[in-house]
Amino acid sequence: MTPTEHCQTELHVPNDARALGAVRGAIEHTSRHLGLAPEQEAALITSVEELVGEALGTLAAEESVTVRISEHPNRIEIDLERPGAGHGEWEAARHLVGIDRVEEKTGPVATRMKLVKFLPGAHPSHS
């Protein structure tokens, strides 16, 4: 993979806590591919699992959370999108460990959160 290539994995996580394993596996694959240290990988996974688990707990049985994991030369971006509107939907985001930047967007039918983890040696000004 050359530095200019961009890879994205998209998961539609059903309202079933057992599906968190797929999210964990996708983050493990991406973080290892990009050279994230094991302790940083673990913190990132824990934070994302907490957020997705919290979101699943508020959904109807047939709804799902969309998780997009994007590789960039200097960072990993994880987008979480859930049905429903309302600022501050993901309360746990205020207490995240292992995340360098959090952005939240609320629309009329969905709430979206972007989590950014910079790779070792990368600086936020280069994103």
Side-chain angles (χ1 to χ4, degrees):
M1 186 177 212
T2 63
T4 57
E5 288 182 21
H6 173 78
C7 181
Q8 184 178 75
T9 301
E10 182 171 303
L11 304 166
H12 296 276
V13 183
N15 195 351
D16 183 340
R18 296 175 294 178
L20 287 174
V23 175
R24 172 182 282 275
I27 294 171
E28 285 175 351
H29 173 78
T30 299
S31 63
R32 290 174 188 175
H33 180 253
L34 293 175
L36 203 61
E39 61 276 359
Q40 292 176 321
E41 174 188 305
L44 179 62
I45 288 169
T46 298
S47 291
V48 173
E49 284 181 334
E50 183 178 339
L51 289 172
V52 174
E54 181 179 304
L56 291 174
T58 66
L59 300 180
E62 70 283 353
E63 293 179 316
S64 63
V65 173
T66 300
V67 179
R68 290 177 198 90
I69 304 166
S70 302
E71 295 182 16
H72 297 273
N74 67 337
R75 69 193 183 280
I76 298 171
E77 292 183 359
I78 301 174
D79 287 302
L80 308 174
E81 187 174 323
R82 66 176 288 290
H87 185 70
E89 288 289 314
W90 273 303
E91 179 62 32
R94 289 155 185 57
H95 312 288
L96 292 176
V97 175
I99 305 296
D100 296 317
R101 184 170 39 196
V102 177
E103 301 170 15
E104 186 177 359
K105 284 180 151 179
T106 302
V109 295
T111 301
R112 185 175 175 193
M113 178 163 292
K114 180 188 285 189
L115 310 172
V116 179
K117 176 63 183 167
F118 290 99
L119 301 175
H123 299 286
S125 61
H126 299 132
S127 56

